[in-house]
């Protein structure tokens, strides 16, 4: 499976949820639904702010500690960007259903106990942001995430954006970084051995992907731009997805 | 958790009155299904079924495990149905509702107990190693008739699924990865489908197929018939509700048979289309190490 495909997204795919989105990139496909603000359960109720509930459901098998870990990371970063103070004593529920993950053709996977990979984080993050936007939940900023791996190659170390399962297997460290639309670092999670220098390089690469300045040039020149930067332009992608959704919705005007 | 909103008295009366005049709110015939769509994923064994606004995703997976001690010659086959809050916020995680229990029970009876999948063929080494096949049913959106959609998705996913190829040489079992050998299909014996009738009216005299969520909320009873295209009935479930005339029920089974034939033809066509899409260059037949049954 090729990792360098462009991301794809659709908004409002589920008719009964308040907001929903389907996102696929680098072999990962995730569908998300957002309901909220709705009535919170007693134990989740907070007198001053809304409780953000994130549920990650693997495609096959039952969820375990890895899913709970991803949920807690997502929950804390989404709480940062949603204006939770606007909805005291309520609940904003984000359900993420993993549909497809890239397979490693060289290994037979154990599937009954699902074990989600760290590299699925950007897909989960992007989908939840898109679904929140589709549900019209007020947020202080949008955000984009990306996964970066440091892979040893002929003695030297190479930085790989959106690593494939095979690359993750041989990688020395895997990092997930998320930036808000105001170019602030929202999330930084790392796995493996790395130096400060390596992390700085990773940070720069991720920032380039998540917050590339809006290009004034259109058409041919933009295509060229994309090539030399290496990796997709997440901020532009988020914007264009929403623009097309809004145009489709306001078609009647 | 918020409760599901019930239809108001006016809404209820409106639906029932319309049905008495042989009209459904969406303009369908009484025995007409909503448009059925089926898409397969990039991986083997992923089926996405859309029936009107109802959407169900089924994913099949396989793993080598130890068989149950009381059935050393059989493989393991499980269907996991869990309704997440994605279906509706009224469903909670880790707290099965009645709907969920009924669906998993019916799927179990239809697909597992009818012997659709030959579990003996899943045995690798008697009493030591066998395949464990698992199907996960994810309900993404619920607009009535979950059972029919879920059953169709499970059957489609299992027929599309390929498990890794294996070989036995001198007592050593080898499981080949997809890179080494093309995976092989499961040994599938017949394809059962669920057809659900909903009954309305004082004595359940109005029967209709593929009820929407609104219709499901106002019906007085329902009956699920599972059968394959040869007309072999796997199970009939009529769980409570208003009693229905036996003759009417017989008529229902006859219509169900024609629907099962439609489903079967539709699934065969979709599987053939998908096989054609995957078989680029016509090399798949050569790559396959599978023997004809």
């Amino acid at each position: 499976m090729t990792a360098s495909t462009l991301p794809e997204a659709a908004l409002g795919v589920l008719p009964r949820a308040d907001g929903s989105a389907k996102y696929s990139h680098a072999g990962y496909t995730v569908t998300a639904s957002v309901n909220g603000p709705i009535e919170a359960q007693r134990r989740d109720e907070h007198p001053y702010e809304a409780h953000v509930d994130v549920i990650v459901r693997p495609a096959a098998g039952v969820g375990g500690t890895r899913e709970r870990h991803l949920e807690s990371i997502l929950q804390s970063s989404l709480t940062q960007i949603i204006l939770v103070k606007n909805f005291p004593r309520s609940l904003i529920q984000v359900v993420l259903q993993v549909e497809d993950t890239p397979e490693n053709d060289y290994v037979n996977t154990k599937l009954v106990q699902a074990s989600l990979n760290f590299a699925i984080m950007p897909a989960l993050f992007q989908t939840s942001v898109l679904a929140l936007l589709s549900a019209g939940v007020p947020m202080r900023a949008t955000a984009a995430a990306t996964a970066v791996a440091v892979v040893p190659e002929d003695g030297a170390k190479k930085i790989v954006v959106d690593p494939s399962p095979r690359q993750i297997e041989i990688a020395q460290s895997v990092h997930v970084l998320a930036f808000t639309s105001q170019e602030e670092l929202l999330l930084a999670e790392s796995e493996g051995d790395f130096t400060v220098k390596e992390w700085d390089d990773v940070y720069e690469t991720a920032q380039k992907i998540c917050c590339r300045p809006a290009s004034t040039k259109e058409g041919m020149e933009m295509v060229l731009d994309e090539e030399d930067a290496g990796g997709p332009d997440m901020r532009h992608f988020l914007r264009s997805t929403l623009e097309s959704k809004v145009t489709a919705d306001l078609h009647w005007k | 958790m918020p409760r599901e909103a019930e239809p108001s008295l006016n809404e209820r009366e409106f639906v029932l009155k319309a049905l008495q005049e042989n009209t459904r709110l969406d303009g369908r015939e009484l025995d007409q299904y909503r448009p059925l769509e089926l898409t397969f994923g990039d991986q083997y064994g992923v089926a996405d079924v859309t029936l009107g606004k109802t959407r169900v995703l089924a994913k099949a997976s396989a793993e080598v495990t130890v068989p149950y001690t009381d059935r050393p010659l059989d493989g393991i086959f499980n269907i996991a149905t869990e309704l997440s809050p994605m279906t509706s916020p009224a469903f909670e995680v880790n707290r099965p509702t009645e709907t969920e229990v009924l669906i998993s029970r019916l799927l179990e009876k239809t697909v597992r107990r009818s012997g659709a999948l030959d579990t003996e063929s899943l045995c690798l080494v008697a009493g030591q190693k066998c395949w464990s096949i698992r199907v996960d049913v994810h309900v993404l959106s619920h607009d009535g008739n979950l059972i029919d959609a879920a059953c169709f998705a499970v059957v489609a996913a299992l027929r599309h699924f390929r498990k890794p190829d294996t070989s036995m040489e001198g007592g050593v079992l080898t499981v080949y990865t997809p890179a080494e050998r093309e995976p092989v299909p499961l040994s599938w014996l017949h394809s059962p489908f669920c057809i659900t009738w909903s009954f309305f009216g004082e004595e359940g005299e109005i029967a209709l197929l593929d009820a929407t969520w609104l219709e499901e909320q106002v019906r007085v009873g329902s009956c699920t018939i599972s059968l394959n295209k040869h007309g072999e009935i796997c199970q009939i479930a009529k769980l409570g509700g208003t009693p229905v005339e036996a003759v009417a029920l017989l008529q229902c089974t006859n219509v169900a048979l024609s629907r099962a034939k439609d489903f079967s033809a539709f699934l065969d066509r979709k599987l053939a289309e998908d096989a054609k899409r995957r078989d680029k260059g016509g090399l798949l037949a050569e790559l396959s190490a599978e023997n004809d049954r």
Side-chain angles (χ1 to χ4, degrees):
Chain A
M1 209 166 278
T2 48
S4 59
T5 46
L6 286 171
E8 270 176 54
L11 294 182
V13 286
L14 307 175
R16 280 171 59 88
D18 286 348
S20 55
K22 182 178 178 164
Y23 173 84
S24 49
H25 179 48
Y28 294 100
T29 308
V30 181
T31 301
S33 82
V34 168
N35 281 303
I38 53 174
E39 182 192 333
Q41 259 180 319
R42 260 284 174 75
R43 59 161 195 264
D44 296 332
E45 211 176 82
H46 193 289
Y48 299 114
E49 54 180 49
H51 175 75
V52 180
D53 193 12
V54 182
I55 299 159
V56 176
R57 292 171 55 86
V62 279
T65 37
R66 274 165 181 270
E67 282 71 30
R68 299 292 94 75
H69 176 56
L70 292 182
E71 280 172 14
S72 70
I73 296 172
L74 277 170
Q75 200 237 356
S76 52
S77 26
L78 290 179
T79 312
Q80 292 295 319
I81 54 169
I82 297 170
L83 292 171
V84 282
K85 290 264 184 338
N86 285 13
F87 309 104
R89 292 185 191 278
S90 56
L91 172 75
I92 293 166
Q93 193 171 46
V94 184
V95 188
L96 294 152
Q97 173 71 57
V98 179
E99 283 187 19
D100 229 341
T101 48
E103 263 174 17
N104 191 345
D105 270 357
Y106 298 88
V107 181
N108 275 316
T109 38
K110 287 257 176 194
L111 278 163
V112 171
Q113 175 66 53
S115 53
L116 282 182
N117 209 309
F118 208 48
I120 201 175
M121 265 305 276
L124 292 176
F125 194 86
Q126 234 87 265
T127 324
S128 39
V129 169
L130 284 169
L132 283 167
L133 285 168
S134 145
V137 174
M139 295 193 280
R140 71 180 86 246
T142 60
T146 188
V148 182
V150 182
V151 183
E153 210 180 60
D154 315 322
K157 279 167 189 167
K158 201 179 134 203
I159 288 180
V160 181
V161 180
D162 295 322
S164 68
R166 187 114 177 100
Q167 284 168 325
I168 289 172
E169 211 172 81
I170 53 168
Q172 284 188 329
S173 61
V174 185
H175 311 259
V176 174
L177 286 94
F179 292 86
T180 65
S181 48
Q182 282 129 25
E183 306 192 11
E184 291 161 333
L185 183 64
L186 180 67
L187 167 75
E189 288 281 332
S190 305
E191 221 175 34
D193 298 332
F194 55 92
T195 61
V196 176
K197 168 82 180 59
E198 273 168 19
W199 195 86
D200 284 340
D201 290 346
V202 165
Y203 177 84
E204 255 170 50
T205 319
Q207 198 179 25
K208 247 183 235 161
I209 291 166
C210 294
C211 6
R212 191 169 311 162
S215 68
T216 46
K217 297 167 276 185
E218 284 294 319
M220 197 55 199
E221 278 172 287
M222 216 173 74
V223 176
L224 289 175
D225 264 7
E226 217 145 274
E227 269 168 31
D228 70 78
D233 180 358
M234 279 303 163
R235 182 199 255 180
H236 181 76
F237 166 72
L238 217 73
R239 209 186 162 81
S240 62
T241 309
L242 278 166
E243 267 169 6
S244 56
K245 172 71 180 159
V246 169
T247 350
D249 282 354
L250 298 182
H251 171 68
W252 53 275
K253 265 198 172 175
Chain B
M1 286 294 118
R3 273 180 48 201
E4 196 73 53
E6 280 176 23
S8 66
L9 211 57
N10 274 341
E11 225 171 334
R12 215 172 256 276
E13 281 302 308
F14 184 63
V15 175
L16 291 177
K17 205 62 179 205
L19 281 178
Q20 240 127 44
E21 292 164 17
N22 270 338
T23 315
R24 289 171 85 166
L25 292 196
D26 44 10
R28 274 185 292 154
E29 296 293 317
L30 290 188
D31 60 350
Q32 195 185 353
Y33 265 80
R34 288 170 284 180
L36 179 70
E37 272 170 53
L38 168 67
T39 39
F40 293 111
D42 281 340
Q43 289 175 341
Y44 283 121
V46 181
D48 190 339
V49 171
T50 316
L51 189 63
K53 280 183 182 170
T54 298
R55 194 165 152 220
V56 180
L57 179 84
K59 187 183 162 80
S61 46
E63 186 188 43
V64 179
T65 47
V66 183
Y68 296 128
T69 41
D70 54 334
R71 316 221 57 160
L73 295 174
D74 276 350
I76 302 169
F77 173 41
N78 277 319
I79 302 175
T81 327
E82 208 185 319
L83 297 176
S84 70
M86 183 177 267
T87 318
S88 143
F91 294 113
E92 255 178 89
V93 187
N94 296 330
R95 189 172 295 177
T97 54
E98 196 188 299
T99 337
E100 187 180 321
V101 175
L102 287 183
I103 292 178
S104 48
R105 186 88 194 96
L106 266 171
L107 287 180
E108 188 106 322
K109 279 201 281 186
T110 307
V111 184
R112 213 162 82 105
R113 295 258 299 274
S114 75
L117 179 66
D118 177 19
T119 46
E120 271 180 42
S121 72
L122 299 175
C123 179
L124 295 168
V125 184
Q128 287 172 20
K129 288 269 186 297
C130 73
W131 280 112
S132 159
I133 306 290
R134 180 190 166 98
V135 189
D136 287 83
V137 181
H138 304 294
V139 179
L140 302 183
S141 158
H142 177 14
D143 189 34
N145 208 8
L146 269 189
I147 292 170
D148 295 12
C151 182
F152 188 75
V154 168
V155 171
L158 281 168
R159 285 190 56 184
H160 187 247
F161 183 62
R162 303 281 184 274
K163 68 179 191 315
D165 199 9
T166 53
S167 75
M168 276 288 283
E169 248 173 70
V172 180
L173 174 77
T174 323
V175 180
Y176 296 100
T177 60
E180 289 167 328
R181 272 196 197 177
E182 189 61 23
V184 291
L186 300 169
S187 110
W188 190 251
L189 301 179
H190 72 116
S191 301
F193 297 101
C194 286
I195 317 288
T196 305
W197 285 92
S198 300
F199 301 107
F200 297 83
E202 215 106 290
E203 280 153 27
E205 66 275 4
I206 305 166
L208 55 85
L209 275 176
D210 190 27
T212 61
W213 176 230
L214 181 61
E215 286 165 343
E216 271 187 12
Q217 281 173 308
V218 300
R219 70 184 174 193
V220 293
S222 73
C223 176
T224 304
I225 304 164
S226 308
L227 74 178
N228 58 20
K229 67 172 177 188
H230 308 298
E232 292 159 341
I233 293 181
C234 309
Q235 63 95 25
I236 296 183
K238 168 109 181 49
L239 311 165
T242 309
V244 176
E245 292 269 336
V247 185
L249 219 50
L250 271 178
Q251 223 153 28
C252 288
T253 27
N254 281 335
V255 180
L257 175 58
S258 75
R259 288 292 169 278
K261 280 179 179 161
D262 293 349
F263 278 162
S264 183
F266 177 71
L267 180 56
D268 286 344
R269 205 184 71 228
K270 282 285 176 184
L271 281 168
E273 273 173 25
D274 185 73
K276 212 171 171 184
R277 185 174 63 89
R278 280 166 192 276
D279 193 9
K280 279 188 193 123
L283 281 169
L284 216 54
E286 276 175 53
L287 280 169
S288 171
E290 180 201 3
N291 293 321
D292 283 331
R293 268 170 65 88

